[in-house]
Amino acid sequence: MSSSLSCKSTHFILSFFVLISFINVCFASRKLTALVQDPQMQQLLKYHKGALFSGKINVNLIWYGKFKPSQRAIVSDFITSLSTSTPSNAHPSIAQWWKTTEKYYHLANSKKTLSLSLGKQVLLENYSLGKSLTQKQIVQLASKGEQKDAINVVLTASDVDVDGFCVNRCGTHGSSKGAIIKGKTYKFAYIWVGNSETQCPGYCAWPFHQPIYGPQSPPLGAPNNDVGVDGMVINLASLLAGTATNPFGNGYYQGEADAPLEAASACPGVYAKGAYPGYAGDLLVDKTTGASYNAHGINGRKYLVPALYDPATSSCSTLI
């Protein structure tokens, strides 16, 4: 059963004093809003006693539309970088960033462990469903991945429109009924993220593009020299954290179930220490390219990933 778009696009509106990246998961639409800390954000995200993932989970990538091989490599390397079994030689690393999600499992007194691995990749370059997609079609595309012990990620190209894209969200996550094995119906989790490069980079690819609203400070250099895909990685990272800690809508979140704050969306616009409205924080800078980043991945990759809410300290945790 799909649980992402049946809910309203209501959002925990803070302010439009400045435009920044935000995930509103309905279970999850990543939006851009202002960074204004609310006292409630200092509280621990509540565990609603729902199921969490366990064991090895494959992250399958469903590419809808035209993507260059180099663009696909940016995302697939990011997924592989999440695993501590393939650590980056450089620090801070994507694997270090991901370890914050383990604290949610410990907090739930769960003996379960979660291990994400890159699964299969499906290329759908012929736009079989057209270039304007509904949420129902997103779930249809997600079902092309594995339907047990899986997170199926649908990535739509820059010339594909999706309901709500660039209007009130940059991506979403949810779950749907999957395979029936020995009489038991399994669920799979899914994520959708769109490439905003030509449609709304100021909405979904900040801080690599000037924001639509707020202070017009110069955009930062994208670490993989691709504003659209580097922006997709930020959104994907946020949604993966939300999926790991709230996969089926009854895990860890704060606020209303139809507009929850989750592990990443509780820390909007924060990427490093010193962040404030319109400023992502004191990031690392590549001496050769001038690009900004906060984490290293495999194959010499550099990425920008959002702060995560740390349930052990009740604060937003950054790598740097």
Side-chain angles (χ1 to χ4, degrees):
M1 179 178 180
S2 176
S3 46
S4 181
L5 275 197
S6 58
C7 52
K8 298 179 180 178
S9 295
T10 54
H11 192 280
F12 194 83
I13 300 298
L14 304 177
S15 164
F16 276 94
F17 177 71
V18 66
L19 187 68
I20 54 85
S21 305
F22 188 94
I23 294 183
N24 172 21
V25 181
C26 205
F27 318 174
S29 298
R30 186 179 185 272
K31 281 187 172 182
L32 295 168
T33 72
L35 175 60
V36 179
Q37 291 293 338
D38 185 282
Q40 288 186 337
M41 287 187 183
Q42 305 308 314
Q43 299 173 7
L44 192 65
L45 297 183
K46 182 180 178 181
Y47 180 41
H48 294 76
K49 308 301 181 182
L52 299 175
F53 283 123
S54 177
K56 181 180 178 181
I57 303 295
N58 283 335
V59 179
N60 303 299
L61 304 180
I62 297 99
W63 300 91
Y64 188 83
K66 304 290 186 182
F67 286 91
K68 299 175 183 177
S70 59
Q71 293 179 314
R72 296 198 298 267
I74 293 170
V75 176
S76 60
D77 281 354
F78 170 72
I79 298 299
T80 304
S81 298
L82 293 168
S83 172
T84 54
S85 64
T86 55
S88 167
N89 293 325
H91 296 280
S93 69
I94 292 296
Q96 287 176 283
W97 171 79
W98 185 249
K99 286 185 73 66
T100 297
T101 62
E102 295 178 4
K103 297 182 180 182
Y104 288 84
Y105 285 71
H106 297 157
L107 191 66
N109 295 318
S110 173
K111 295 181 180 180
K112 299 177 180 179
T113 58
L114 171 62
S115 175
L116 296 186
S117 300
L118 179 64
K120 67 179 183 179
Q121 299 192 53
V122 180
L123 305 185
L124 302 172
E125 298 182 307
N126 63 350
Y127 302 93
S128 57
L129 298 179
K131 292 188 176 182
S132 182
L133 303 179
T134 65
Q135 180 65 18
K136 184 177 180 180
Q137 289 173 315
I138 291 294
V139 178
Q140 180 183 342
L141 291 171
S143 68
K144 294 183 181 296
E146 297 167 344
Q147 298 192 14
K148 179 179 180 293
D149 298 331
I151 300 173
N152 295 332
V153 180
V154 178
L155 303 113
T156 51
S158 59
D159 58 349
V160 176
D161 183 40
V162 178
D163 280 353
F165 185 44
C166 294
V167 177
N168 55 27
R169 59 185 185 157
C170 305
T172 191
H173 85 80
S175 66
S176 182
K177 286 183 179 179
I180 299 176
I181 302 175
K182 295 182 179 180
K184 182 179 180 180
T185 301
Y186 289 85
K187 283 185 175 181
F188 68 88
Y190 67 84
I191 292 172
W192 157 69
V193 177
N195 186 340
S196 67
E197 181 179 12
T198 60
Q199 296 187 53
C200 59
Y203 190 79
C204 295
W206 185 86
F208 302 134
H209 192 280
Q210 286 183 294
I212 298 173
Y213 308 105
Q216 296 299 300
S217 55
L220 303 180
N224 295 286
N225 198 32
D226 192 312
V227 170
V229 176
D230 277 306
M232 291 180 82
V233 169
I234 293 176
N235 298 327
L236 177 57
S238 300
L239 291 166
L240 273 171
T243 299
T245 55
N246 187 27
F248 306 113
N250 52 8
Y252 285 96
Y253 67 87
Q254 179 190 97
E256 299 297 325
D258 62 349
L261 291 180
E262 298 178 318
S265 59
C267 302
V270 179
Y271 296 92
K273 291 179 174 61
Y276 56 82
Y279 180 64
D282 300 328
L283 299 170
L284 301 173
V285 177
D286 188 296
K287 294 180 179 179
T288 302
T289 66
S292 297
Y293 67 100
N294 60 6
H296 294 268
I298 66 167
N299 297 328
R301 295 282 187 192
K302 296 179 176 68
Y303 295 102
L304 184 65
V305 290
L308 296 180
Y309 185 88
D310 187 335
T313 61
S314 296
S315 64
C316 293
S317 174
T318 60
L319 284 171
I320 58 175

